[in-house]
């Protein structure tokens, strides 16, 4: 819970967190090492100095640290825990749904557990979706179209096999499809994070919501264009948010674009924990105001209402969270934890 | 300065003109160049490292190829070997560029598009837009009206004086890209500012035009900030 200076409570749903194991013991090959090194590069490049972690902690921090960083020291009330499998890079995977389920079972009131599928698995992908629904009751997925698999270097949301999975998602009520569309970590020329495939899928599956993580950067204009056309496309602020510290002017211009094109109802906060921790991100975001010239040129404002929506209300709507009820659940769980 | 050092400086000067296509910034200014080795036979080996192991192979290939052709034009140079370090496709790229193979020849089995010229052009166009935006904004900030701005021709722009110390460099970079993208040779009477499609700017649409250019810049700035940050982090990890 975040409290404003005047005492108002802001309910925070962190739309993008991970509990990964990238320790050397779990790395399958050089790619596994280089992948976490790249994440650590993001962490080092955009964090405030006092928030920097040692490399070993960053590689594997564990569920207890995560709980503390998000909910005890951090302001999150809830968090959407997203999987990233990367089984070609890590022996047990980077953070699979099954691994994430362990922390969610301990704190069910805190987490929304998301699954994933890989359409290149064919029939097995469909079976897996059934399993995710039955075992965990997932309402959402995180898809990573650039994932390697054997000789394949990625896939597209518009692939026929992906469409079969989306059809099943509609049937099973798995409505929220988070898609990683971010900075280029691209094999060869194929731009696996090109956002055009979102356009096709969002048009053909109007009952699903597509949350484009990292707001498609560095293809912001393509993403905005698609989001204007498709009412079921949302923007996730993971990574983009971190610019608020090192490049506030840049952050202002970017968020103003999003407010102008998507509006305040379709933007979701995400810390991308453990690349960044939510405490400083939320504090800086709450204190942030758009410079006058940008407000004037774009005709938008990052008001308190907009901030509340971005930090929690928009995600609550997508995931059917009744905030007042949830607050009671959180209180009951906290009392129980104190009693234990 | 001994001859070796003079040659090193000449190589560096050539490399300054090679840009990262995504960022429109020089590979030397970005800190990509790690080492330049020159032997008595006039063979030059340029070691370079990108911000991550994952940086797109096509960009890496473009840069390696551009380095080779930029340095090859020095009269004393007999061979140029760009050497990409610690990259997932380092071996393939180094071997390919060394034997003058095309990107398609090296990665034929794995790529879907045919490539580099289209990619090169795409990024030249983005660079044009970014460079145009800063020049337009500088003029408006200095008090020029939209009417006056869109009416400028290249001759007038070339002699125009603004207070901002960075103005001459901004103008030079813009005019350079305007010239490179022009399909016919340009004269002083040609309009200074056109859209990417070659249309004349109109005063009423100038604000909207600038807003469109801004999104291009925001993407490039994002890449630039990420790349610099990742490179610094990679250097720190390597220590």
């Amino acid at each position: 819970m975040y409290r404003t200076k005047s005492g108002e409570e802001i309910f925070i749903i962190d739309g993008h967190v991970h509990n990964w194991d990238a320790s050397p013991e779990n790395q399958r090959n050089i790619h596994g090492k280089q992948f976490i090194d790249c994440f650590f590069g993001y962490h080092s490049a955009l964090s405030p100095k006092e928030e920097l972690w040692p490399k070993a902690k960053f590689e594997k921090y564990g569920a207890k640290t995560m709980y503390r960083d998000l909910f005890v020291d951090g302001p999150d009330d809830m968090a959407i825990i997203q999987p990233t499998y990367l089984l070609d890079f890590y022996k047990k995977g980077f953070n699979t749904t099954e691994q994430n389920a362990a922390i969610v079972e301990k704190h069910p009131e805190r987490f929304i557990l998301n699954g994933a599928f890989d359409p290149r698995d064919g029939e097995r992908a469909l079976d897996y979706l059934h399993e995710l629904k039955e075992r965990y009751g997932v309402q959402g997925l995180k898809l990573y179209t650039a994932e390697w698999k054997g000789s394949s270097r990625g896939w597209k949301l518009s692939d026929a096999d992906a469409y079969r999975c989306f059809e099943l998602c509609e049937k099973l009520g798995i409505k929220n499809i988070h898609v990683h569309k971010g900075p280029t970590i691209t094999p060869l020329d194929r731009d696996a994070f090109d956002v055009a495939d979102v356009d096709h899928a969002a048009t053909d599956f109007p009952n699903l919501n597509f949350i484009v993580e990292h707001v498609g950067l560095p293809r912001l204009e393509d993403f905005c264009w698609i989001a204007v056309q498709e009412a079921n496309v949302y923007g996730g602020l993971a990574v983009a948010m971190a610019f608020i510290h090192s490049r506030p002017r840049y952050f202002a211009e970017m968020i103003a674009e999003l407010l102008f094109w998507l509006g305040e109802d379709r933007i979701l906060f995400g810390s991308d924990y453990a690349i960044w921790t939510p405490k400083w991100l939320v504090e800086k975001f709450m204190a942030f105001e758009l410079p006058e010239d940008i407000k004037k040129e774009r005709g938008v404002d990052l008001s308190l209402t907009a901030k509340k929506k971005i930090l929690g209300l928009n995600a609550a709507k997508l995931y059917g969270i009744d905030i007042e009820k949830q607050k009671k659940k959180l209180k009951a769980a906290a009392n129980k934890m104190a009693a234990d | 300065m001994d001859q070796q050092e003079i040659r090193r400086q000449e190589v560096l000067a050539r490399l300054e003109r090679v840009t990262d296509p995504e960022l429109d910034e020089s590979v030397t200014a970005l800190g990509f160049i790690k080492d330049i080795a020159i032997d008595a036979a006039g063979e030059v080996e340029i070691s370079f490292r990108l911000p991550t192991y994952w940086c797109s192979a096509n960009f890496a290939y473009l840069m390696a190829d551009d380095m080779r052709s930029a340095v090859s034009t020095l009269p004393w140079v007999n061979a140029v070997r760009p050497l990409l370090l610690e990259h997932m496709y380092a071996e393939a790229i180094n071997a390919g560029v060394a034997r003058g193979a095309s990107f398609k020849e090296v990665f034929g089995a794995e790529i879907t598009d045919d490539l580099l010229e289209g990619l090169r052009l795409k990024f030249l166009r983005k660079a044009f837009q970014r460079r145009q935006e800063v020049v337009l904004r500088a003029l408006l900030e200095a008090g020029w009206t939209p009417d006056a701005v869109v009416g400028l021709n290249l001759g007038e722009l070339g002699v125009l004086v603004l207070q901002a110390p960075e103005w001459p460099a901004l103008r030079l970079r813009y005019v350079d890209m305007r010239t490179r993208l022009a399909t016919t040779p340009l004269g002083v009477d040609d309009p200074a500012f056109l859209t990417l499609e070659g249309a004349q700017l109109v005063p009423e649409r100038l604000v909207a035009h600038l807003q469109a250019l801004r999104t291009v810049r925001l993407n490039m700035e994002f890449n630039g900030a990420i790349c610099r940050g990742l490179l610094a982090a990679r250097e720190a990890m390597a220590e």
Side-chain angles (χ1 to χ4, degrees), chain A residues 2 12 46-51 75 241-248 251-252 255 269 276-290 302 307 311:
Chain A
Y2 181 91
I12 302 204
L46 297 177
S47 298
K49 277 210 169 61
E50 58 279 13
E51 303 290 344
M241 192 88 175
F243 280 80
I244 201 167
H245 164 68
S246 55
R247 296 171 70 99
F251 179 76
I255 198 87
F269 161 62
W276 299 287
T277 44
K279 185 170 188 287
W280 69 266
L281 286 172
V282 170
E283 280 170 3
K284 282 183 192 278
F285 184 71
M286 284 303 297
F288 195 79
E289 284 188 32
L290 283 183
L302 186 59
K307 286 175 179 170
L311 287 174

Side-chain angles (χ1 to χ4, degrees), chain B residues 48-103:
Chain B
F48 70 111
R49 195 160 72 156
L50 300 177
T52 77
Y53 176 79
W54 309 97
C55 292
S56 293
N58 48 4
F59 298 150
Y61 206 89
L62 261 186
M63 281 184 263
D65 197 45
D66 287 353
M67 286 178 200
R68 192 187 48 73
S69 50
V71 175
S72 297
T73 53
L74 287 167
W76 53 267
V77 167
N78 284 318
V80 185
R81 275 192 311 276
L83 197 65
L84 174 60
L85 307 171
E86 290 170 76
H87 186 277
M88 65 197 249
Y89 291 115
E91 265 179 55
I93 289 173
N94 292 335
V97 174
R99 67 171 197 271
S102 74
F103 187 76

Side-chain angles (χ1 to χ4, degrees), chain A residues 153-182:
Chain A
R153 294 291 181 260
W155 55 279
K156 293 208 172 292
L157 300 183
S158 48
D159 292 347
D161 285 334
Y163 266 35
R164 291 172 65 211
C165 292
F166 290 140
E167 280 160 16
L168 183 57
C169 286
E170 276 191 325
K171 271 186 214 150
L172 296 175
I174 302 174
K175 283 181 62 176
N176 299 315
I177 315 296
H178 297 249
V179 193
H180 177 112
K181 291 289 181 185

